[in-house]
Amino acid sequence: MRRSLAAVVTSAALLLGLAACGGNDSEAASSSDTLKVGVSPVPHGEILKYVADNLAAKEGLKLEIVEFNDYIQPNVALQEKQLDANYFQHIPYLEEEVASKGYKFTALKPVHIEPLGVYSKTVKSLNDVPAGGVVGIPNDPSNSGRALNLLAANGLLTLKDGVGVKATEKDITGNPKNLTFKALEAAQLPRSLEDTAVSVINGNYAIETGLKPATDSLALEKGENNPYANLVVVRTGEEGDERVVKLEKLLHSPEVKKFIEDKYQGSVLPAF
């Protein structure tokens, strides 16, 4: 079941003197000089707020930031023209969405990577995961495959050669600890730590719940050659929108790179 939309226009929009949305979620995105962007609150919303507060005015760009607490509604809102762009997803997830729902979307340049991590409240090392333990993983296809690859890279299971990001439980060829996998909506995984031996949690949800991926995870994805970089997505044909071009320039600036490095200390990595 989809979670209800929790859309909040952040103070970044107010600081730029933007008008309020009027509270009607069905209204189309503005055709004015304001760019309305849907984000996950952390780190996407924080990065975009930094851009709005510190860089946008110099480029003559006005941003309205709308926060979503799930991975479904930002694409629905973009499709329905409630947004001009969104910034919350990576290419494998976008490809799954396009294949299943027929969206006509285009991904722009990678901005950052939120390393997927393995966390636990009961064990201090992956070597201590008990036989028959329950492992929480994301239930969307792209992130579940990603989770299985991370577990395989750290010796908890083996996968068929070549399955890559499309790996499923059917592709597991070795499970020496006889682990059981519990697929949950990504946003629910931090809470699953009460009931699992370990859970594989997306970086944004880990950070939102007070976990520090760089220090609290038992295993963490590498940043190098990582296909899961997050980026801005727009409706196909709108890549040349002057507002979008300005946003892309700012998101890939030295200032934003330094902001990501300084604020997240390795828990979020620049991808440019």
Side-chain angles (χ1 to χ4, degrees):
M1 181 179 294
R2 291 179 181 172
R3 297 180 59 198
S4 60
L5 170 63
V8 179
V9 179
T10 68
S11 59
L14 299 177
L15 289 169
L16 287 170
L18 303 179
C21 299
N24 185 350
D25 289 339
S26 65
E27 291 178 1
S30 170
S31 59
S32 70
D33 58 351
T34 298
L35 188 71
K36 190 173 182 179
V37 186
V39 299
S40 293
V42 180
H44 313 74
E46 294 175 342
I47 294 170
L48 212 57
K49 187 177 185 301
Y50 171 80
V51 171
D53 290 349
N54 298 279
L55 305 175
K58 294 178 183 178
E59 288 291 326
L61 175 65
K62 295 180 181 179
L63 291 172
E64 185 173 334
I65 304 168
V66 182
E67 294 183 352
F68 294 82
N69 289 324
D70 75 325
Y71 287 163
I72 303 297
Q73 294 301 321
N75 279 335
V76 173
L78 182 60
Q79 172 73 9
E80 294 179 352
K81 299 188 176 180
Q82 296 174 24
L83 301 172
D84 299 305
N86 65 42
Y87 171 37
F88 78 100
Q89 62 193 317
H90 50 62
I91 292 287
Y93 181 80
L94 176 62
E95 289 175 343
E96 292 284 351
E97 286 275 278
V98 168
S100 64
K101 296 167 186 170
Y103 294 138
K104 304 294 184 183
F105 292 167
T106 295
L108 304 182
K109 293 187 296 182
V111 178
H112 76 267
I113 296 162
E114 301 158 33
L116 200 69
V118 183
Y119 301 86
S120 178
K121 285 193 172 182
T122 59
V123 300
K124 301 298 184 183
S125 164
L126 293 184
N127 291 331
D128 299 329
V129 175
V134 176
V135 179
I137 62 173
N139 66 359
D140 61 278
S142 60
N143 281 311
S144 62
R146 182 183 182 187
L148 293 175
N149 274 275
L150 179 59
L151 295 170
N154 286 276
L156 286 180
L157 54 86
T158 55
L159 296 169
K160 291 179 184 175
D161 291 340
V163 291
V165 299
K166 296 186 181 297
T168 71
E169 289 182 49
K170 294 179 180 178
D171 297 311
I172 296 173
T173 57
N175 182 2
K177 289 180 178 282
N178 195 29
L179 302 172
T180 299
F181 299 93
K182 185 176 183 179
L184 298 168
E185 184 182 356
Q188 303 298 321
L189 284 163
R191 288 194 285 274
S192 78
L193 289 171
E194 301 293 339
D195 304 308
T196 63
V198 295
S199 289
V200 187
I201 303 175
N202 293 73
N204 60 311
Y205 291 128
I207 295 168
E208 281 181 36
T209 53
L211 293 168
K212 297 179 180 179
T215 57
D216 292 339
S217 63
L218 304 181
L220 197 65
E221 283 180 324
K222 304 294 185 185
E224 297 81 6
N225 302 313
N226 192 310
Y228 297 102
N230 283 215
L231 33 68
V232 172
V233 172
V234 298
R235 289 181 291 275
T236 299
E238 298 182 15
E239 306 93 311
D241 185 312
E242 182 180 4
R243 301 166 301 169
V244 172
V245 172
K246 289 178 178 179
L247 177 61
E248 279 289 283
K249 176 183 176 181
L250 295 176
L251 280 174
H252 296 87
S253 65
E255 293 90 341
V256 167
K257 185 173 186 177
K258 186 175 187 303
F259 172 78
I260 293 172
E261 291 172 339
D262 290 349
K263 181 173 180 62
Y264 300 109
Q265 298 291 308
S267 293
V268 178
L269 306 171
F272 60 95

